[in-house]
Amino acid sequence: MNSSDVVSMLFSSQTIGTASIPLVLFSVVLAFAVGLGIAAVYRFNFRGVMYSSNFTLTLVLMTLITTPVVMCIRESIQLSMGMVGALSIVRFRTAVKDPLDTAYMFWALTMGILLGAGQFLLTAVAGVAIAVLITLVCKWRVKNQNCYLLVLRMSESAEKQAAQVVGAVRYQRLRTKTVSQGAVEATYEVRLDKTEPLLKRLHDVPGMQDATLVAYTGEGA
């Protein structure tokens, strides 16, 4: 038996549990497509200040990597226990800025697990359902919570009139206030449907130096 016969025999008999190599390749390609779908949903619904393309790539890779791992360990108790032991000593130190990002990470892992287990129909149903629900929740959040940080820089003489203008907003809360050498800097948390009218009224206040609105996605509202 020559070397070519040995190689052909190895590839002809190579399986992962009950899965054939074509099925493995199909699952990996499908995982890549599902990961891209999750990344697309994340990008479409992103409402933060700074969009991270690295996090989007991470979602794709998490789905892609999880699938072959699950396909490898699902037929072997020894591999399953070894994987649990290996993952138990891994410590992830990357901070997640938005709690919603954690949901996307679990979504990517879940899709990878389902694909690795061969649950293609469940993957399709769960993937579409989660995508629709996340989109609806994000649209509802944006519609009902247009939250901003309003940063004002002004003279002391303008403080009272500016406070009256900001006080006319239905929801407003003073976060910080700094006074130094006749100048005042104040930060408010406000919720607005339209930003232009408030900025225009503040601009007309005598002694107003600067009025800045920043999209606010933090907690504690």
Side-chain angles (χ1 to χ4, degrees), residues 35-113:
L36 288 178
I38 295 174
V41 174
Y42 172 76
R43 183 170 185 176
F44 177 77
N45 292 312
F46 181 77
R47 293 296 183 274
V49 178
M50 296 184 64
Y51 172 78
S52 174
S53 58
N54 287 336
F55 182 76
T56 305
L57 179 60
T58 300
L59 295 176
V60 179
L61 292 178
M62 289 179 70
T63 310
L64 189 59
I65 294 172
T66 305
T67 298
V69 171
V70 174
M71 296 184 73
C72 179
I73 68 176
R74 66 177 181 175
E75 300 292 341
S76 173
I77 297 178
Q78 292 84 356
L79 285 175
S80 302
M81 297 302 295
M83 184 62 66
V84 171
L87 292 178
S88 65
I89 64 174
V90 176
R91 303 178 67 183
F92 299 95
R93 297 183 179 273
T94 303
V96 179
K97 296 181 179 180
D98 190 344
L100 188 60
D101 291 350
T102 306
Y104 281 99
M105 295 171 65
F106 276 105
W107 183 18
L109 287 174
T110 301
M111 294 296 100
I113 292 172

Side-chain angles (χ1 to χ4, degrees), residues 2 17 71 76 86 90 92-93 108 119-120 125 172 175 183-184 212:
N2 55 34
M71 296 184 73
S76 173
V90 176
F92 299 95
R93 297 183 179 273
Q119 301 294 329
F120 301 119
V125 174
Q172 47 80 25
R175 288 291 189 179
V184 178
T212 305

